[in-house]
């Protein structure tokens, strides 16, 4: 194995090779053997990269939300799977058998739509092919595509156990689906009935309430006049869907509404038809909506359906499955699209003088969650699951704290949904999916739910026909925590890995998937399937719009990986995702979004190259120092400081990961590596590494240990680059992998508040001197003198111990502690009350600097005067928005403060 890193970091080839190493070594399998928690800190240099002793810790188990077999990677996948991977890698490094179980979803509606479009390009429909050949075509297509998304997930570093990959259409998984259906059917929790369901005219299938996504739309309310049949007057009804009036079978008013009490029981002549309909009194009517009288169309509205049942009103379906007007309406409307029929109905009402008025109205309109088509409430025979009996234990599990949500607010939303839950429509009018396991006998009229296919009727031995519908895709997905582990068989995996640990997913499928999995787990296993649900934010663009194909504002993660590397993508999504917040990325400028991750990788790579060149360039006996115990008295202030900062970073990272603050964990590793280690410690020890001063052996040993620890802390977030560097560190043997290395444990012996405080003063002095140089235009290579006045004991100690470091980093020829020097000088007050002063005589051209400062002061003073004049203008202040006024006042304050600072600098220079 080569000891050197390439001059520049190039992730393209490196990441593929590293991933192959992990897979070949079987890193992703939840072994009962492997790493344990690191028990020694940075002061103790024992080589502790791998330990084959068995662990006694409970498994860490998380389930991958199964992506669709036709899907391609998008930033939502990138975020969700990176979050899962970070927590899985962390658990693995802590010695827990870690199972991240991957899988794919057959995705009924989405997949059938894709293949139907392919068939349409050949001039055919699925009906032309027939059910059998069409399903063969579906399976052939999916066999090719279902591995694509999993391969793309590998490209972002997902450390899932691919050997256990499930597919919701696998034979065994399908058996589990049937088992659940039959059990619920036998308990009376599954039934078939005629109810109002959400219907997609594009996908030609029923949808559950959750699949009909509500979108706020600007619409209209039409006020229509319905004459009384006896000619004695009329009623005005308000509706947002005038086309459905052709299916009205009644008008409802509130029974206590004094305006209409005398009309209850009378008949209306329904316009545009020859039908008479009754006026009924029903408490479901809101007297405040519209006119207080509502048209009742029992076949096309859930509330109307319930009103119709209470008053025995007829149910007239006025639309075809494609949302065209059916034969149940007058001939002139038949065949019209529903929205064209709306226009024609309104026009005819206007022509008859029965259109009272039209109001603007913003309301929620249901759309198909797959194709975006406006759904149609429709009366239909469908299969349902009674949800209330399943919801009750799920509510209790949350109340009993057997499952928690991160952020906590989602627990309240979960509770509200379960408390108001409606029965779940589980049948879909598709061919692709788990076919409903119910058979009908036309001979004796019986029906049978069965775990196995039936041919003849168990009652009369007549021939059977199977139900044509398939099950909702979510009916298979809600079984993921069980069926993916072998249920209903009591497999070893099921015993070991159920229940799981944490589910990481997006809030939009809280009801689709998360709540239903909890219900299924309690119903069929008696335990919740996971103890924690982490619901992360959504990936949005800079206008805060959710990224989507339809908006054209998405980012392809594969493009990002190709340009910047997977680690840059991972660092960006993790560092930008705080608990309870969304991730904002700019799809128009990938450089802005992802370059920080790329830059961090380059910084880490260069720091590693520098360190390795000095470690490997040392005499061989010094390599032993990496494994020797270092005595405290051998350490410099800088050594003690970096060891203490390393220990703090370990604590910060672990605490953040425990609380799902993954962004804070990434930040802790970032700041330790970039600032503490690379910018300060490496610079402080260079003279020792180069042999200019004694202590090189100790400096190498400390640098080695803290850098090794830093790589471990960063590994879950940026696994590829950390693995590549870690394998190059001295002492590594062939086959040792950072992915299996132990997570660092905090070590109380590394704590050193004194070192942290004193080195912080060193940093302050250096920073202040650098700022003074910059502000006064001191040439970069020019040496300066500096004096620290009113130094505290801590400051004196720090400067004594790290005098050479301050002088070298700030380019100081002479550093003294004592009284303030006379003459023109620049100064800065430090946090401990001391002041650092730099004499400027001979450093800068004082006359020229005074003139420059005066010119800048005068320019700003003029701006201040103009701004004061603007803000004293009463008309401007009265007319301008409050936000504008506040902005102008803020400018004035900033400019005034800047003028004051310029005057201070002039006085310091003796101008």
């Amino acid at each position: 194995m080569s000891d050197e890193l390439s001059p520049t970091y190039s992730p393209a080839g490196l990441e593929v090779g590293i991933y192959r190493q992990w897979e070949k070594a079987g890193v992703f399998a939840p072994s009962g053997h492997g790493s344990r928690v690191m028990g020694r800190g940075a002061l103790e240099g024992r080589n502790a990269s791998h330990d084959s002793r068995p662990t006694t810790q409970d498994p860490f188990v998380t389930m991958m939300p199964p992506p669709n077999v036709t899907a391609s990677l998008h930033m939502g996948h990138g975020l969700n799977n990176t979050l899962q991977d970070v927590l899985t890698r962390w658990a693995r490094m802590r010695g827990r058998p870690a199972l991240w179980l991957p899988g794919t979803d057959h995705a009924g509606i989405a997949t059938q739509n894709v293949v139907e479009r392919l068939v349409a390009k050949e001039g055919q429909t699925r009906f032309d092919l027939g059910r059998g050949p069409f399903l063969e075509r579906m399976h052939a297509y999916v066999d090719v595509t279902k591995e694509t998304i999993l391969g793309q997930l590998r490209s972002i570093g997902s450390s899932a156990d691919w050997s256990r990959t499930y597919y919701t259409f696998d034979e065994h998984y399908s058996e589990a689906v049937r088992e659940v259906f039959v059990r619920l059917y036998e308990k009376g929790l599954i039934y078939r009935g005629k109810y109002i369901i959400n219907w997609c005219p594009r996908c030609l299938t029923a949808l559950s309430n959750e699949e009909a996504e509500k979108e706020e739309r600007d619409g209209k309310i039409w006020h229509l006049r319905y004459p009384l049949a006896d000619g004695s007057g009329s009623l005005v009804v308000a509706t947002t869907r005038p086309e459905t009036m052709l299916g009205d079978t009644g008008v409802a008013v509130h029974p206590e509404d004094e305006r209409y009490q005398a009309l209850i029981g009378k008949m209306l002549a329904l316009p545009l038809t020859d039908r008479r309909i009754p006026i009924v009194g029903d408490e479901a009517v809101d007297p405040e909506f519209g006119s207080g009288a509502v048209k009742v169309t029992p076949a096309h509205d859930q509330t109307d359906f319930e009103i119709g049942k209470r008053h025995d009103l007829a149910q007239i379906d006025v639309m075809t499955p494609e949302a065209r007007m059916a034969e149940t309406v007058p001939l002139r409307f038949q065949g019209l699209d529903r929205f064209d029929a709306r226009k024609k109905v309104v026009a005819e009402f206007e022509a008859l003088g029965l259109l009272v008025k039209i109001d603007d109205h913003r309301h929620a309109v249901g759309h198909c969650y797959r194709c975006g088509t406006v759904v149609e409430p429709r009366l239909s025979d469908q299969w349902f699951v009674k949800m209330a009996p399943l919801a009750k234990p799920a509510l209790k599990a949350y109340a009993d704290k057997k499952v928690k949500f991160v952020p906590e607010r989602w627990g309240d939303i979960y509770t509200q949904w379960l408390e108001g839950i409606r029965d779940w429509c589980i049948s879909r009018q598709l061919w692709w999916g788990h076919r409903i396991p119910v058979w009908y006998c036309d001979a004796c009229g019986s029906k049978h739910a069965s775990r196995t296919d039936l041919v003849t009727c168990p009652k009369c031995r007549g021939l059977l026909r199977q139900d044509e519908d398939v099950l909702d895709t979510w009916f298979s997905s809600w079984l993921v925590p069980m069926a993916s582990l072998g249920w209903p068989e009591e497999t070893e995996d099921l015993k070991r890995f159920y229940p799981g640990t944490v589910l990481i997913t997006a809030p939009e499928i809280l009801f689709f998937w998360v709540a239903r999995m909890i219900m299924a787990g309690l119903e069929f296993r008696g335990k919740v399937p996971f103890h924690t649900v982490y619901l992360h934010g959504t990936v949005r663009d800079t206008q805060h719009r959710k990224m989507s194909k339809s908006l054209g504002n998405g980012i392809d993660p594969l493009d990002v990986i190709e340009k910047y590397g997977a680690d840059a993508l991972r660092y960006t999504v993790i560092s930008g995702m705080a608990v309870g917040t969304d991730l904002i990325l700019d799809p128009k400028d990938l450089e802005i979004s992802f370059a920080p991750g790329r830059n961090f990788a380059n910084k880490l790579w260069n720091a590693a190259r520098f360190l390795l060149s000095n470690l490997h360039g040392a005499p061989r006996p010094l390599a032993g120092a990496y494994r020797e115990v270092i005595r405290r008295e051998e350490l410099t202030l800088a050594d003690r400081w970096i060891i203490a900062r390393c220990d703090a970073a370990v604590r910060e990272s672990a605490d953040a990961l425990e609380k799902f603050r993954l962004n804070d964990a990434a930040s802790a590793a970032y700041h330790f590596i970039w600032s503490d280690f690379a910018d300060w410690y490496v610079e402080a020890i260079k003279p020792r590494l180069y042999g200019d001063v004694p202590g090189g052996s100790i400096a190498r040993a400390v640098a080695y240990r803290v850098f090794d620890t830093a790589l471990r802390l960063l590994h879950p977030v940026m696994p590829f680059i950390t693995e590549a560097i870690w394998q190059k560190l001295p002492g590594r043997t062939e086959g040792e992998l950072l992915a299996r290395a132990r997570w660092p444990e905090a070590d109380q012996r590394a704590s050193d508040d004194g070192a942290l405080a004193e080195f912080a003063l060193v940093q302050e002095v250096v920073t202040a001197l650098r700022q003074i140089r910059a502000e006064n235009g001191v040439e970069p290579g020019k040496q300066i003198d500096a004096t620290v006045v009113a130094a505290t004991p801590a400051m004196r100690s720090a400067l004594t111990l790290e005098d050479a470091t301050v002088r070298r980093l700030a380019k100081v020829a002479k550093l003294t502690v004592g009284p303030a020097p006379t003459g023109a000088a620049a100064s800065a007050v430090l946090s401990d009350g001391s002041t650092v002063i730099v004499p400027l005589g001979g450093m800068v051209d004082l006359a020229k600097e005074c003139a420059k400062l005066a010119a800048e002061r005068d320019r700003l003073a003029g701006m201040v005067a103009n701004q004061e004049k603007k803000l004293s203008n009463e008309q401007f202040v009265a007319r301008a928005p409050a936000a504008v006024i506040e902005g102008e006042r803020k400018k004035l304050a900033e400019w005034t403060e800047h003028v004051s600072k310029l005057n201070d600098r002039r006085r310091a220079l003796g101008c």
Side-chain angles (χ1 to χ4, degrees):
M1 181 170 64
S2 170
D3 289 342
E4 295 184 358
L5 294 174
S6 61
T8 57
Y9 176 58
S10 178
L14 180 146
E15 290 178 350
V16 173
I18 291 292
Y19 199 89
R20 285 175 182 159
Q21 288 183 37
W22 292 330
E23 285 204 286
K24 184 178 180 180
V27 168
F28 307 153
S31 173
H33 298 273
S35 54
R36 291 173 61 86
V37 176
M38 178 181 282
R40 298 175 183 269
L43 282 176
E44 217 165 333
R46 187 175 66 87
N47 182 8
S49 61
H50 185 71
D51 188 342
S52 60
R53 292 172 293 176
T55 180
T56 57
Q57 296 196 53
D58 292 333
F60 172 89
V61 182
T62 189
M63 299 284 170
M64 179 184 291
N68 293 350
V69 289
T70 59
S72 58
L73 203 63
H74 56 66
M75 281 309 303
H77 291 126
L79 169 62
N80 180 256
N81 286 275
T82 299
L83 291 169
Q84 293 172 77
D85 192 53
V86 169
L87 293 175
T88 302
R89 287 180 181 274
W90 181 52
R92 189 180 293 126
M93 293 178 76
R94 296 174 77 198
R96 299 180 68 176
L99 173 59
W100 180 13
L101 193 63
T104 52
D105 194 318
H106 66 279
I109 296 174
T111 310
Q112 180 163 316
N113 280 345
V114 170
V115 176
E116 282 198 80
R117 286 196 293 269
L118 294 175
V119 170
K121 290 181 179 179
E122 301 167 5
Q124 292 183 302
T125 69
R126 60 176 161 129
F127 302 102
D128 294 328
L129 295 178
R131 187 165 194 148
F134 179 76
L135 289 179
E136 289 178 8
R137 180 75 174 265
M138 293 285 303
H139 283 292
Y141 174 80
V142 168
D143 285 343
V144 174
T145 63
K146 71 179 179 181
E147 292 300 322
T148 301
I149 186 70
L150 298 181
Q152 293 174 341
L153 290 173
R154 285 175 167 89
S155 69
I156 65 172
S158 299
S159 62
D161 183 1
W162 305 110
S163 69
R164 284 179 165 87
T165 303
Y166 67 87
Y167 172 43
T168 55
F169 229 163
D170 285 339
E171 182 178 352
H172 176 83
Y173 202 106
S174 299
E175 291 173 1
V177 173
R178 275 203 182 185
E179 179 68 28
V180 165
F181 183 97
V182 174
R183 285 198 195 184
L184 293 177
Y185 182 87
E186 291 172 346
K187 288 185 69 173
L189 295 180
I190 283 184
Y191 64 94
R192 184 172 174 82
K194 187 180 285 290
Y195 290 90
I196 295 292
I197 50 86
N198 299 292
W199 180 265
C200 176
R202 162 65 181 79
C203 299
L204 296 180
T205 184
L207 303 172
S208 69
N209 292 323
E210 292 72 35
E211 290 170 327
E213 296 180 339
K214 299 291 186 180
E215 294 182 18
E216 288 291 325
R217 290 288 182 90
D218 290 325
K220 304 288 184 183
I221 294 181
W222 288 267
H223 297 260
L224 309 176
R225 188 179 302 280
Y226 286 10
L228 286 163
D230 61 8
S232 62
S234 63
L235 264 184
V236 175
V237 301
T239 179
T240 59
R241 299 161 68 211
E243 68 279 8
T244 63
M245 60 80 49
L246 298 171
D248 285 359
T249 56
V251 167
V253 297
H254 196 281
E256 296 179 3
D257 191 334
E258 295 179 355
R259 295 173 294 175
Y260 303 120
Q261 281 180 332
L263 297 178
I264 295 175
K266 290 193 173 186
M267 302 297 289
L268 293 165
L270 184 65
L272 314 188
T273 73
D274 57 3
R275 193 155 64 245
R276 293 190 173 192
I277 59 176
I279 301 172
V280 299
D282 196 282
E283 293 183 351
V285 177
D286 178 5
E288 302 299 322
F289 177 78
S291 64
V294 297
K295 56 190 285 303
V296 181
T297 318
H300 289 278
D301 181 88
Q302 180 65 43
T303 301
D304 292 4
F305 175 75
E306 299 296 337
I307 293 174
K309 284 202 301 182
R310 287 192 288 270
H311 299 279
D312 198 27
L313 300 179
Q315 300 168 342
I316 302 175
D317 187 349
V318 298
M319 292 187 198
T320 67
E322 295 79 14
R324 292 187 172 276
M325 305 312 288
E327 295 178 355
T328 52
V329 302
L331 183 62
R332 64 188 183 278
F333 294 100
Q334 291 178 17
L336 291 178
D337 174 80
R338 54 183 164 165
F339 299 120
D340 291 334
R342 175 179 298 179
K343 295 175 183 176
K344 187 172 179 61
V345 165
V346 171
E348 291 200 14
F349 262 85
E350 187 173 21
L352 293 170
L354 299 177
L355 177 62
V356 178
K357 63 176 179 176
I358 304 173
D359 292 332
D360 292 331
H361 178 57
R362 187 166 181 80
H363 60 137
V365 179
H367 290 72
C368 175
Y369 80 117
R370 283 300 178 195
C371 69
T373 301
V374 174
V375 300
E376 190 65 39
R378 188 165 185 256
L379 186 65
S380 177
D381 282 317
Q382 301 290 339
W383 287 94
F384 295 85
V385 176
K386 293 180 181 178
M387 297 303 285
L390 299 175
K392 187 176 179 180
L395 277 166
K396 187 175 187 301
Y398 176 65
D400 293 345
K401 302 187 185 306
K402 292 181 179 178
V403 61
K404 70 174 183 178
F405 290 87
V406 180
E408 291 182 1
R409 69 174 183 273
W410 289 108
D412 293 335
I413 297 171
Y414 166 88
T415 299
Q416 291 168 11
W417 183 72
L418 288 180
E419 288 175 343
I421 200 166
R422 297 166 68 178
D423 288 354
W424 176 14
C425 178
I426 58 170
S427 48
R428 299 291 180 269
Q429 288 62 55
L430 304 170
W431 286 354
W432 179 247
H434 297 99
R435 196 164 175 182
I436 289 176
V438 172
W439 284 259
Y440 304 94
C441 179
D442 293 329
C444 68
S446 62
K447 63 181 177 183
H448 311 274
S450 175
R451 294 169 176 82
T452 57
D453 288 354
L454 299 178
V455 177
T456 57
C457 177
K459 286 189 175 181
C460 70
R461 312 311 297 174
L463 291 178
L464 296 174
R465 58 181 175 82
Q466 188 175 357
D467 196 295
E468 291 291 320
D469 291 349
V470 300
L471 289 163
D472 176 14
T473 299
W474 298 103
F475 192 85
S476 52
S477 297
W478 76 327
L479 307 180
V480 161
M482 306 179 306
S484 61
L485 296 172
W487 187 89
E489 294 179 25
E490 197 66 19
T491 63
E492 288 302 313
D493 271 3
L494 190 62
K495 294 175 185 176
R496 188 181 182 200
F497 299 121
Y498 188 97
T501 309
V502 60
L503 178 75
I504 304 141
T505 191
E508 52 259 37
I509 56 175
L510 173 59
F511 309 134
F512 284 128
W513 195 46
V514 180
R516 289 172 181 166
M517 283 192 290
I518 293 172
M519 287 186 269
L522 290 166
E523 173 71 15
F524 300 108
R525 294 294 295 169
K527 296 179 181 178
V528 293
F530 27 75
H531 302 300
T532 301
V533 179
Y534 172 32
L535 296 169
H536 59 74
T538 301
V539 185
R540 300 185 182 276
D541 65 14
T542 51
Q543 298 179 49
H544 293 261
R545 300 176 302 174
K546 182 179 178 180
M547 288 191 175
S548 69
K549 289 182 179 179
S550 60
L551 291 176
N553 65 340
I555 294 175
D556 187 340
L558 298 181
D559 291 342
V560 177
I561 291 170
E562 181 180 357
K563 191 170 184 179
Y564 303 107
D567 282 331
L569 180 143
R570 292 168 64 103
Y571 177 78
T572 297
V573 299
I574 294 298
S575 63
M577 175 57 69
V579 173
T581 66
D582 290 333
L583 175 64
I584 307 300
L585 298 173
D586 189 348
K588 296 181 179 179
D589 194 336
L590 298 185
E591 183 74 15
I592 288 177
S593 297
F594 298 98
R598 185 265 321 273
N599 295 342
F600 181 33
N602 287 334
K603 180 83 170 184
L604 176 63
W605 190 261
N606 291 332
R609 290 189 71 242
F610 173 81
L611 183 61
L612 288 172
S613 68
N614 281 278
L615 293 179
H616 294 298
R620 297 314 302 169
L622 289 182
Y626 307 142
R627 298 180 175 85
E628 294 173 358
V629 175
I630 303 169
R631 296 191 304 275
R632 189 177 183 83
E633 58 268 24
E634 297 180 282
L635 301 173
T636 66
L637 173 59
D639 294 336
R640 290 188 289 116
W641 170 78
I642 197 64
I643 290 170
R645 279 296 304 126
C646 182
D647 185 67
V650 169
R651 296 175 191 275
E652 291 166 17
S653 295
D655 181 65
L657 290 168
E658 286 281 5
K659 297 174 181 176
F660 297 94
R661 299 198 316 264
L662 278 63
N663 62 311
D664 289 340
S667 177
Y670 173 92
H671 287 294
F672 178 70
I673 291 170
W674 188 300
S675 179
D676 296 339
F677 183 77
D679 286 352
W680 287 102
Y681 184 67
V682 168
E683 292 300 323
I685 65 173
K686 278 182 177 179
R688 295 157 68 193
L689 295 179
Y690 297 156
D692 298 337
V693 296
S697 174
I698 300 301
R700 289 185 179 91
V702 172
Y704 174 90
R705 291 303 302 155
V706 298
F707 189 64
D708 174 275
T709 300
L711 291 175
R712 295 172 194 247
L713 295 181
L714 186 59
H715 178 72
V717 178
M718 300 177 74
F720 291 106
I721 189 171
T722 52
E723 182 74 74
I725 294 171
W726 191 84
Q727 291 182 21
K728 301 293 186 181
L729 293 179
R732 298 286 171 256
T733 58
E734 194 72 31
E736 274 193 285
L737 298 171
L738 177 55
R740 278 182 170 157
R742 294 181 297 187
W743 180 259
E745 185 177 80
D747 189 341
Q748 189 61 42
R749 295 169 298 173
S751 297
D752 194 329
D753 291 342
L756 290 173
E758 289 189 6
F759 199 82
L761 293 175
V762 171
Q763 292 174 300
E764 267 200 89
V765 171
V766 171
T767 301
L769 289 170
R770 287 172 171 172
Q771 186 172 350
I772 288 172
R773 295 178 65 99
E775 289 178 349
N776 291 279
V778 178
E779 295 177 9
K782 194 170 185 114
Q783 295 284 310
I784 62 174
D785 292 338
T787 300
V788 178
V789 179
T792 60
M795 177 65 80
R796 289 177 179 274
S797 174
L799 295 180
T800 299
L801 294 172
E802 294 293 340
D803 172 83
T805 299
V806 173
R807 288 189 290 106
R808 190 168 54 83
L809 296 184
K811 295 185 175 61
V812 176
K814 183 181 179 182
L815 177 64
T816 59
V817 176
T822 59
S827 63
V829 179
L830 306 180
S831 63
D832 69 337
S834 59
T835 302
V836 60
I837 300 176
V838 176
L840 294 178
M843 292 290 105
V844 297
D845 185 330
L846 291 178
K848 183 177 180 181
E849 188 67 16
C850 285
K852 184 179 75 173
L853 292 173
E856 178 64 9
R857 179 203 58 191
D858 294 343
R859 184 183 71 84
L860 281 172
M863 293 169 63
V864 166
N866 290 334
Q867 195 72 351
E868 288 173 339
K869 184 177 180 180
K870 178 189 290 187
L871 290 170
S872 65
N873 185 325
E874 294 181 359
Q875 289 186 346
F876 170 74
V877 174
R879 294 176 181 177
V884 172
I885 298 298
E886 181 60 28
E888 295 301 316
R889 285 175 177 161
K890 185 176 179 181
K891 289 179 185 177
L892 176 60
E894 291 174 351
W895 295 340
T896 301
E897 182 182 4
H898 200 170
V899 169
S900 177
K901 288 182 177 180
L902 288 170
N903 283 327
D904 289 342
R905 287 182 60 192
R906 280 175 52 80
R907 280 192 292 273
L909 292 175
C911 298

